[in-house]
Amino acid sequence: MTVNDDSFSNWKTREEIAESMIPIIGKLHRERDVTVLLHSRSLVNKSVVSILKTHRFARQIAGAELSVVETLPFLRALTTLDLGPSQIDLAMLAETYRADERGLSVEAFTAEAVAGATGGNKIERGAGRDVVLYGFGRIGRLVARLLIEKAGSGNGLRLRAIVVRGGGEQDIVKRASLLRRDSIHGQFQGTITVDEESGTILANGNAIKVIYADDPSEIDYTAYGVRDAILIDNTGKWRDRAGLSQHLRPGIDKVVLTAPGKGDVPNIVHGVNHDTVKPDERILSCASCTTNAIVPPLKAMDDEYGVLRGHVETVHSFTNDQNLLDNYHNSERRGRSAPLNMVITETGAASAVTKALPDLKARITGSSIRVPVPDVSIAILNLQLARETSREEVLDHLREVSLTSPLKRQIDFTTAPDAVSSDFIGSRHASIVDAGATKVEGDNAILYLWYDNEFGYSCQVIRVVQHVSGVEYPTFPAPAV
């Protein structure tokens, strides 16, 4: 047999194994609210090739490819357990099993590693939590996709309604079409139909009522069967407590803003300060996409080295608040054509750091340039550290953080030498460390952090909503602290 024949035979074997994993992963998700992960990447609703590519991706960050031959026994072991709602990382199971020297079987080790999700420890599945989207623009539609994707057994978050201003004839059809097809993020994974008579969009079986209103005060959500809901405001029209409190109408329990909050509105970056949200807090903000991109790696660097001062320069994709062609705009530079120019503008991300990291003593400054790409941005974080270090040490630290720390869902890591912005469209992490671009000299470190300012940020929003709604399920094996 030639090398080519041997490689192809090996590929076909791994394809067959990945095919056998799909129904197991799907059944665990639908029937038990268990999300199977691989290095914090969900394997739910993934294709054979996607599962194999996710296993191969481990080579970039862990140094060696993870094989489906290695992870399948752990997946099968999960099916024998009385699991409750949880997230289970097969890569972490395999890694900790390799390091374990007790000689346990895969079944015995898996049962021990996920014991917090079984028997008397498991979380009981609830009735689900209603969610309402106020606004249905770029972030609103991506959040809708994520909510529908994560519906699972129906016992988690349930998108019940969206609120928009009336847009004339066939408004609901046009909005459904925008949900179905996206020029950047591609086709919706599933089926979407419209019931114009009832004003409902049906997406993968989820009935989403379209409510037309010009003002929050016009709506009684209980009239649409919505109860105790979390409302996600994607408009950014109101940013302080007084304005956002207008959403606290019948049927709405909490309000989450997808923009930086003002005044005493808590700015939450999941993974960093989400555990500071008080149970009785009814209004909070998910800060900005750039704040979410820089705060997790900033925390990782401060925890290990100490940060004395820093500056962040964001090279940001253009957004809908800019003009396609030169035209009047309240902001002088943003009035100039977005697809034709680099546009210097301001960013509030640096000042927002203090809300998410109140213990950070370093002064962080920031500025921003909008550039002619439709999605994915990069933040250049220039830090003066409290001690000298080396490039190798910093990269080893950030690689480990991305693999095993509580920030592994926020920080990703790439060693690809030819990485460019479009490679990160669809990334679910808050930011991705570009190892090849990292510079360290003495006590100065410069990090280049890619981030999908649309989809990655939307994933962070969903994580916050899951947390405050009580359906953020624990991950096993537990990440190292």
Side-chain angles (χ1 to χ4, degrees):
M1 181 178 287
T2 67
V3 173
N4 286 342
D5 288 339
D6 189 53
S7 297
F8 185 67
S9 176
N10 178 265
W11 170 261
K12 300 300 286 185
T13 299
R14 288 186 290 133
E15 264 192 329
E16 184 178 358
I17 293 173
E19 284 175 356
S20 72
M21 297 174 80
I22 291 174
I24 301 174
I25 294 167
K27 189 173 183 180
L28 286 170
H29 186 59
R30 287 191 308 276
E31 297 183 1
R32 307 192 197 180
D33 279 336
V34 173
T35 301
V36 177
L37 310 173
L38 195 83
H39 280 316
S40 75
R41 289 165 167 77
S42 173
L43 297 183
V44 176
N45 292 328
K46 295 298 186 289
S47 68
V48 168
V49 171
S50 180
I51 290 174
L52 292 175
K53 286 181 68 176
T54 305
H55 278 74
R56 183 174 176 79
F57 181 79
R59 175 182 289 178
Q60 275 201 48
I61 50 179
E65 185 173 336
L66 188 63
S67 171
V68 287
V69 175
E70 188 176 3
T71 57
L72 178 61
F74 294 98
L75 182 60
R76 285 177 172 163
L78 294 176
T79 66
T80 68
L81 302 173
D82 179 28
L83 289 168
S86 56
Q87 299 185 102
I88 299 178
D89 196 313
L90 295 182
M92 290 294 292
L93 276 174
E95 183 177 321
T96 52
Y97 181 67
R98 282 196 300 267
D100 192 86
E101 299 177 348
R102 293 174 294 166
L104 297 176
S105 67
V106 167
E107 293 75 15
F109 180 83
T110 302
E112 180 181 273
V114 303
T118 61
N121 296 322
K122 71 179 183 181
I123 299 171
E124 292 303 320
R125 295 160 69 184
R129 189 70 178 268
D130 290 354
V131 178
V132 172
L133 297 180
Y134 197 95
F136 206 51
R138 297 297 303 154
I139 299 301
R141 292 193 295 273
L142 290 177
V143 167
R145 285 188 174 200
L146 287 164
L147 288 167
I148 295 162
E149 171 195 302
K150 295 178 180 297
S153 65
N155 295 312
L157 299 176
R158 303 179 303 186
L159 177 56
R160 298 293 305 280
I162 61 172
V163 182
V164 293
R165 290 194 296 266
E169 187 178 354
Q170 287 201 310
D171 178 89
I172 190 172
V173 173
K174 293 174 182 176
R175 294 187 188 276
S177 183
L178 286 169
L179 179 62
R180 184 182 294 114
R181 288 180 288 271
D182 189 280
S183 300
I184 296 170
H185 301 282
Q187 297 277 346
F188 174 81
Q189 296 301 303
T191 63
I192 293 176
T193 57
V194 175
D195 185 336
E196 290 189 77
E197 186 175 341
S198 66
T200 302
I201 296 174
L202 291 167
N204 289 359
N206 295 268
I208 307 164
K209 178 68 177 178
V210 179
I211 302 171
Y212 294 100
D214 294 322
D215 188 271
S217 63
E218 300 175 10
I219 312 168
D220 179 350
Y221 292 96
T222 59
Y224 302 96
V226 175
R227 300 285 187 278
D228 193 34
I230 295 176
L231 182 144
I232 304 174
D233 184 328
N234 307 289
T235 68
K237 184 176 180 180
W238 305 279
R239 295 194 179 188
D240 59 11
R241 188 173 295 275
L244 292 168
S245 293
Q246 298 176 77
H247 291 304
L248 295 174
R249 302 283 300 155
I252 302 299
D253 178 54
K254 295 180 186 292
V255 178
V256 174
L257 171 66
T258 62
K262 295 182 178 180
D264 67 341
V265 174
N267 280 251
I268 304 301
V269 174
H270 190 276
V272 175
N273 68 335
H274 65 278
D275 56 356
T276 65
V277 179
K278 298 175 181 177
D280 60 350
E281 179 59 74
R282 302 189 71 187
I283 296 174
L284 58 134
S285 156
C286 290
S288 70
C289 56
T290 302
T291 303
N292 276 264
I294 66 174
V295 165
L298 186 56
K299 174 175 170 53
M301 292 297 288
D302 188 50
D303 287 347
E304 180 67 19
Y305 304 103
V307 174
L308 300 181
R309 68 174 62 90
H311 176 81
V312 60
E313 186 79 32
T314 69
V315 182
H316 199 291
S317 60
F318 64 78
T319 63
N320 270 332
D321 76 330
Q322 295 172 256
N323 290 333
L324 285 174
L325 294 171
D326 291 359
N327 208 346
Y328 176 82
H329 195 291
N330 288 333
S331 172
E332 288 85 355
R333 296 189 202 248
R334 292 196 189 194
R336 302 298 299 277
S337 173
L340 298 178
N341 294 290
M342 293 189 291
V343 179
I344 298 173
T345 186
E346 70 285 342
T347 176
S351 58
V353 166
T354 56
K355 279 194 170 186
L357 284 174
D359 294 334
L360 181 71
K361 305 305 179 186
R363 180 172 180 265
I364 307 295
T365 57
S367 51
S368 179
I369 302 173
R370 296 287 179 94
V371 295
V373 294
D375 188 30
V376 180
S377 305
I378 190 166
I380 305 166
L381 192 56
N382 192 331
L383 304 175
Q384 182 185 353
L385 307 177
R387 68 175 175 88
E388 293 191 353
T389 182
S390 67
R391 182 173 181 272
E392 293 72 22
E393 184 186 347
V394 168
L395 290 179
D396 285 346
H397 170 60
L398 292 175
R399 181 188 292 108
E400 190 63 27
V401 166
S402 74
L403 286 172
T404 63
S405 82
L407 290 172
K408 67 180 183 177
R409 296 168 72 193
Q410 282 71 43
I411 299 176
D412 204 358
F413 189 92
T414 182
T415 58
D418 58 349
V420 293
S421 61
S422 61
D423 296 331
F424 305 103
I425 292 174
S427 170
R428 294 177 181 242
H429 288 77
S431 62
I432 305 100
V433 176
D434 192 313
T438 300
K439 294 173 173 56
V440 179
E441 185 175 344
D443 64 353
N444 178 239
I446 304 175
L447 308 182
Y448 286 74
L449 308 166
W450 298 101
Y451 59 108
D452 185 329
N453 47 277
E454 292 187 335
F455 196 73
Y457 176 68
S458 296
C459 290
Q460 282 287 89
V461 171
I462 290 294
R463 290 169 189 141
V464 170
V465 173
Q466 287 177 320
H467 177 72
V468 300
S469 66
V471 297
E472 183 183 33
Y473 302 137
T475 300
F476 298 95
V481 178

